[in-house]
């Protein structure tokens, strides 16, 4: 099984999700999204497949998120592309779907 993880190696939840994928024997493509962020279209498609709005996929604890309190989904996507730290992680993609790995064990649902 192939899996793609939009990963931040400094994040414990992201590392836990990656370990679950490895333990499952997945063929994993690891993307450090802070250094190689998705395009706006890619991110919108990931959220659509996951059944999430951009607001639901945003790291609300980040300082830059405060200015987006009343922003549209389009504005949030634009901000995420400009500042990838706003993207909640990890996002995991397999043939079965896309899942935001919070908590990490949720990624098992798409293995």
């Amino acid at each position: 099984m192939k899996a793609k993880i939009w990963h931040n190696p400094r994040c414990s939840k992201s590392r836990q999700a990656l370990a679950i994928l490895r333990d499952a024997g997945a063929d994993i493509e690891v993307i450090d999204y802070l250094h190689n962020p998705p395009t706006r279209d890619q991110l919108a498609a990931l959220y659509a497949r996951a059944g999430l709005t951009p607001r639901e996929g945003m790291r609300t604890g980040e300082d830059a998120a405060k200015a987006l309190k009343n922003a549209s989904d389009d504005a949030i996507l634009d901000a995420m592309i400009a500042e990838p730290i706003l993207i909640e992680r990890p996002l995991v993609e397999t043939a079965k779907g896309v899942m935001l790995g919070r908590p990490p064990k949720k990624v098992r649902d798409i293995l």
Side-chain angles (χ1 to χ4, degrees), residues 5-56:
I5 182 170
W6 298 87
H7 178 63
N8 178 348
R10 296 179 63 190
C11 171
S12 64
K13 302 296 184 207
S14 196
R15 290 192 309 268
Q16 289 170 21
L18 181 57
I20 289 168
L21 294 173
R22 285 185 175 138
D23 289 347
D27 177 14
I28 309 163
E29 179 182 355
V30 179
I31 301 168
D32 182 339
Y33 75 93
L34 293 176
H35 295 102
N36 187 19
T39 66
R40 189 183 191 285
D41 288 343
Q42 284 175 317
L43 189 57
L46 287 166
Y47 288 147
R49 275 191 77 202
L52 296 171
T53 66
R55 183 170 305 282
E56 292 168 325

Side-chain angles (χ1 to χ4, degrees), residues 31-91:
I31 301 168
D32 182 339
Y33 75 93
L34 293 176
H35 295 102
N36 187 19
T39 66
R40 189 183 191 285
D41 288 343
Q42 284 175 317
L43 189 57
L46 287 166
Y47 288 147
R49 275 191 77 202
L52 296 171
T53 66
R55 183 170 305 282
E56 292 168 325
M58 182 173 63
R59 290 182 54 79
T60 57
E62 296 295 328
D63 288 339
K66 293 176 183 142
L68 300 169
K69 182 177 179 182
N70 296 313
S72 68
D73 285 349
D74 285 336
I76 291 170
L77 281 172
D78 290 341
M80 288 174 164
I81 298 310
E83 297 185 59
I85 194 68
L86 290 170
I87 300 171
E88 185 66 90
R89 74 269 180 169
L91 274 171

